[in-house]
Amino acid sequence: MDSPLCLVTGATGYLGGRLVPELLAAGYRVRCMARTPDKLRDHPWADRVEIVRADALDPTEVRRALDGVDVAYYLIHALGSGPRFADTDRETARTFAAAAEDAGVGRLVYLGGLGPAAGSAARDSSPHLRSRAEVGEILLACPVPTAVLRAAVIIGSGSASFEMLRYLTERLPVMVTPRWVSSRIQPIAVRDVLHYLVGCVALPPEVDRAFDIGGPDVLTYERMMQRYAAVAGLRKRRLLPVPMLTPSLSSHWVGLVTPVPGALARPLVESLRSEVVCHEHDIVRWIPDPPDGLTGFDRALELALKRIRDADVATRWSSAALPGAPSDPLPTDPDWSGGSLYEDVREAEPAASQAAVWRVIEGIGGDNGWHSWPLAWSVRGALDRIMGGVGLRRGRRDPHHLRVGDSLDFWRVEEVVPGELLRLRAEMRLPGLAWLEFTLSSEGGRTHYRQRALFHPRGLLGHAYWWAVFPFHGIVFGGMRKGIARAAEQSGRAAPGSAGRPAR
């Protein structure tokens, strides 16, 4: 007997893109519905699922996508699409519910928003939360058994709510705060959300209701920011309450200091004026909590930031990176998610063979120098020594060869792929994390050189540091690119016929 066929809508979004591999790992067949299927091609699981094109507002296309489906996940939201997003949400939900009934779908699963309890508080909640609640009611009203999971802030890299928390905390050591920072919130780790979503496949047909889902901790937004600062290694944030700061003004403020789009920031901020905590935990009767228990807030933060803590940021922001856990980022996450990362990229096509250029790269540092403005490197090393760092005194283990783990002046060799890649992690005193990466490739007899400096700032001081040293990048990093290319060309080992192109 075939395993259940699950349709995932919103597979190009935050939750959908993480749900698909979890369903596959559980042994279920998966079909993805997308208005633009090409957006799914970069996912590592794309060749293991069926992908159908459908506009969620087109009844005929939606009905075709639902044909033969056992469980359909409704993960579509018009949040951020404009002031009439609630009308779009309502129409889309009605279209999907009718098509699911006509197709004989066995179950619908919807992830909604956790809002206030019924009564005046619910009526006074934000348009965003009211729309989420209305969509849940529309799906529950259709004859298809439906499970509506209601969650508050989801903690995971790429979640809009989490990214807003990240940027506000990292960028503002002192901030004026509106009343909503005192609202009580019950956040939940993305891994626990996915645990419940996958578990819904096995719910019996008689289960047709909504469930509140949340983590084990209830905190104010202010406390969430302070806990984030502690886990991220930042100083305690100073918050100055300003009661007259309205949600509308707050959303403009959030848009000013974070890269979260204003169309998303406003409804998210408006939602925070309501208390969002679980009123029941009935779901455990059918779907047990994870074997190791629900993830606490601090642990969820650690998981969301673990790539940074593991010093793997260079691949964390690579389009080729494959996530190892639901809390990891995806290549298709929005550009504004994932925290701040500054990048300086320099490229060249030196008139030298790839092997000749690699010899220069592998010999960099120590007595061999850095092929750019020696005075700048000496001054930076001296400043690092004054601040208690290692400076340039460590040199290098071997004058010609490097291996993973080697110290290299105030860098550490993090990755070596002979002839192709060298990645160094900074161990100097910095208000953040820094990497220097060299990659080589060849095509058509030409050697392509790419040099990348990455900096992940820690707090406002980290951002200030990057912009303070930015004017010198052209001399230091631009000079390094030119110096390495020149040294390789002068080595006398350039491949015949590799004329190369000028550095750019």
Side-chain angles (χ1 to χ4, degrees), residues 44 120 214 253 283 287 388 446 462:
S120 59
W253 167 62
I283 196 169
I287 306 174
R446 296 182 181 276

Side-chain angles (χ1 to χ4, degrees), residues 260-299:
V260 178
L264 275 178
R266 176 160 186 152
L268 290 175
V269 167
E270 289 177 339
S271 300
L272 291 171
R273 72 189 186 199
S274 303
E275 182 176 274
V276 283
V277 299
C278 295
H279 303 287
E280 45 84 8
H281 189 50
D282 296 348
I283 196 169
V284 75
R285 294 168 53 190
W286 291 276
I287 306 174
D289 290 340
D292 53 350
L294 292 170
T295 309
F297 181 69
D298 284 10
R299 177 58 179 158

Side-chain angles (χ1 to χ4, degrees), residues 362-368 394-403 406-408:
E362 193 177 15
I364 204 166
D367 292 336
N368 300 328
R394 297 190 305 189
R396 48 181 294 151
R397 173 189 59 84
D398 182 282
H400 304 296
H401 303 290
L402 294 173
R403 62 188 182 194
D406 276 358
S407 60
L408 184 59

